Amino acid sequence: NAGVTQTPKFQVLKTGQSMTLQCAQDMNHEYMSWYRQDPGMGLRLIHYSVGAGITDQGEVPNGYNVSRSTTEDFPLRLLSAAPSQTSVYFCASSYRSVAGDTEAFFGQGTRLTVV
Amino acid sequence: KQEVTQIPAALSVPEGENLVLNCSFTDSAIYNLQWFRQDPGKGLTSLLLIQSSQREQTSGRLNASLDKSSGRSTLYIAASQPGDSATYLCAAPSISNTGKLIFGQGTTLQVKP
């Protein structure tokens, strides 16, 4: 029962470096999304996807890119890391039932520090 | 803009107390609501999903209710234990049904032995 798998769990970057946070789900969910969690700010949506090949911006998209070439994978790319991107990043996948209910499942998070 | 609010932000109770965590939301058109638990430095664990056809859902000592007409949900924890200490988050799906979740700020619960 893998669910939603995020890698890496921890990462330290230097300002200006780029990297990709990986997210994979094995539940065949149509929806996937990325959130960042900062003290006092709660969870904020970065980007989301409603299916393979379809992505859109969330509340705080600047400095991040996403793509979704398969149902299973939804990587988040930091183009040029900045200290303001120091945060904990969570990936989620969800499905919508016939009745319209949505249930979300989260990965264990990636703790990113940009120095 | 959809918003979710949780009150109180923090709560400290002695072991054994029954307690209620509150969650309010601005859009009564939501289908369902989900409660999560987050331990320090950890991810989000889903506790309860209250579906559109339900008014409440129970799991062990936890009971969550949903009243869409008043825009409120409550999470009731019976006979609290120190192991219940964590942050509890409620989340409502975006009414655009794109899989996005709107989170409250969370209630940090401390249960003292």
Side-chain angles (χ1 to χ4, degrees):
Chain A
N1 295 337
V4 180
T5 303
Q6 287 184 239
T7 56
K9 288 186 171 56
F10 301 94
Q11 183 70 50
V12 178
L13 286 179
K14 293 182 179 179
T15 298
Q17 286 185 317
S18 62
M19 80 160 293
T20 299
L21 279 61
Q22 302 291 343
C23 176
Q25 54 100 359
D26 61 359
M27 297 172 282
N28 200 33
H29 288 170
E30 54 188 325
Y31 304 133
M32 295 187 75
S33 49
W34 277 100
Y35 298 83
R36 61 178 288 174
Q37 186 176 37
D38 303 289
M41 302 293 290
L43 279 137
R44 293 181 292 170
L45 181 68
I46 305 172
H47 285 285
Y48 65 99
S49 169
V50 298
I54 307 171
T55 64
D56 205 346
Q57 296 180 351
E59 185 182 353
V60 287
N62 292 341
Y64 308 95
N65 271 358
V66 293
S67 62
R68 191 157 176 214
S69 56
T70 67
T71 299
E72 294 78 20
D73 299 300
F74 191 43
L76 178 72
R77 283 182 287 277
L78 278 70
L79 309 173
S80 177
S84 61
Q85 294 179 304
T86 294
S87 186
V88 182
Y89 292 84
F90 289 102
C91 177
S93 75
S94 58
Y95 71 94
R96 185 182 175 196
S97 71
V98 173
D101 301 306
T102 304
E103 184 171 15
F105 299 82
F106 281 77
Q108 285 302 300
T110 295
R111 189 172 296 274
L112 176 68
T113 302
V114 182
V115 297
Chain B
K1 177 185 174 184
Q2 267 185 281
E3 292 183 351
V4 176
T5 304
Q6 289 186 250
I7 295 172
L11 183 63
S12 180
V13 300
E15 182 177 3
E17 266 201 15
N18 303 325
L19 59 102
V20 174
L21 307 181
N22 296 297
C23 172
S24 61
F25 46 91
T26 55
D27 201 314
S28 61
I30 62 167
Y31 278 93
N32 59 274
L33 191 128
Q34 199 167 355
W35 282 91
F36 295 89
R37 169 183 172 140
Q38 186 176 31
D39 293 296
K42 302 294 185 183
L44 279 71
T45 301
S46 182
L47 293 174
L48 291 164
L49 172 74
I50 313 172
Q51 296 175 333
S52 55
S53 58
Q54 301 170 321
R55 289 185 63 84
E56 63 179 68
Q57 183 72 267
T58 298
S59 176
R61 295 182 292 106
L62 305 180
N63 176 279
S65 67
L66 176 62
D67 183 346
K68 289 196 275 187
S69 63
S70 68
R72 297 184 65 180
S73 177
T74 60
L75 178 66
Y76 175 81
I77 302 177
S80 58
Q81 303 171 357
D84 295 330
S85 298
T87 296
Y88 292 82
L89 296 152
C90 68
S94 166
I95 57 171
S96 61
N97 269 320
T98 51
K100 297 185 293 184
L101 286 177
I102 315 298
F103 280 90
Q105 294 284 338
T107 295
T108 299
L109 172 66
Q110 182 185 30
V111 181
K112 297 179 179 178

